[in-house]
Amino acid sequence: LAGESGGDGALDRFQLTNIRSAYTQGGQAEFVYRIWPVVEFRTGYQHLDAVDTSNKRALPGRAQHQFSGILNLLHPLNGLSLNAASVWTGMRPFFESSGDQLEDVVQVDADPYLNLSVTLGWRFYDGFRLSVRGENLINEGDKVFLTQRPRRFVLGLNGKI
């Protein structure tokens, strides 16, 4: 359960509660297209049915729908590569107490969000790779319902010894 938000700079109150009886079931489908070794495209869908049967409501934080996509491009002659990955996650229910009583609980639906990451790489000489990666490029996040790192960039150098 999430408590009332204290505002910027203040602490939020959270309380973990045990669920007496629940189930999680679902399905996943994926489509892959390859022109090896130059192009790979993947797209997928996941459906999740997650229910707290003891309280007759959805399990908190679990999205019913999620779509994903990945595009990998590789130029084998010059060692350049591109990887773009995205995941769209649908609305997620949470339950918030409206006071100190656990019985006063209301459902709060967190907005859907899209996560996008892109990596550019260059493999040079034998066994060296330089890369730059952008994560959470759309800068999605919510201080209560989606605590994740803000947009960031990472520069990498890998080598074999």
Side-chain angles (χ1 to χ4, degrees):
L1 293 175
E4 295 177 17
S5 178
D8 289 338
L11 294 176
D12 293 329
R13 296 180 303 133
F14 295 95
Q15 181 175 356
L16 298 177
T17 58
N18 289 328
I19 295 172
R20 187 179 351 247
S21 175
Y23 69 83
T24 301
Q25 63 186 8
Q28 184 174 2
E30 183 178 55
F31 170 78
V32 179
Y33 177 75
R34 287 188 186 130
I35 301 175
W36 193 255
V38 180
V39 175
E40 179 182 38
F41 174 73
R42 294 174 174 262
T43 185
Y45 170 74
Q46 176 180 302
H47 181 270
L48 181 65
D49 181 26
V51 176
D52 173 352
T53 55
S54 57
N55 291 312
K56 296 180 177 58
R57 64 184 186 199
L59 279 175
R62 311 279 169 73
Q64 187 176 14
H65 305 285
Q66 188 175 68
F67 293 91
S68 62
I70 296 175
L71 175 65
N72 289 313
L73 301 174
L74 174 66
H75 194 286
L77 297 178
N78 63 17
L80 293 176
S81 64
L82 168 83
N83 171 278
S86 65
V87 176
W88 179 87
T89 302
M91 183 275 305
R92 295 163 299 127
F94 288 91
F95 300 93
E96 191 172 65
S97 66
S98 57
D100 290 334
Q101 302 299 319
L102 290 178
E103 295 81 30
D104 300 331
V105 174
V106 294
Q107 181 172 331
V108 177
D109 294 332
D111 292 333
Y113 67 96
L114 178 70
N115 244 338
L116 175 64
S117 298
V118 176
T119 304
L120 298 171
W122 176 46
R123 206 170 279 288
F124 58 99
Y125 295 114
D126 188 28
F128 288 95
R129 183 170 190 263
L130 180 66
S131 64
V132 63
R133 178 175 176 83
E135 297 176 351
N136 191 14
L137 291 176
I138 300 174
N139 207 26
E140 295 277 46
D142 179 285
K143 68 178 183 174
V144 176
F145 300 117
L146 184 59
T147 55
Q148 66 177 2
R149 291 180 174 164
R151 179 185 306 124
R152 73 181 194 144
F153 297 93
V154 179
L155 180 63
L157 177 63
N158 301 53
K160 294 180 185 176
I161 348 183

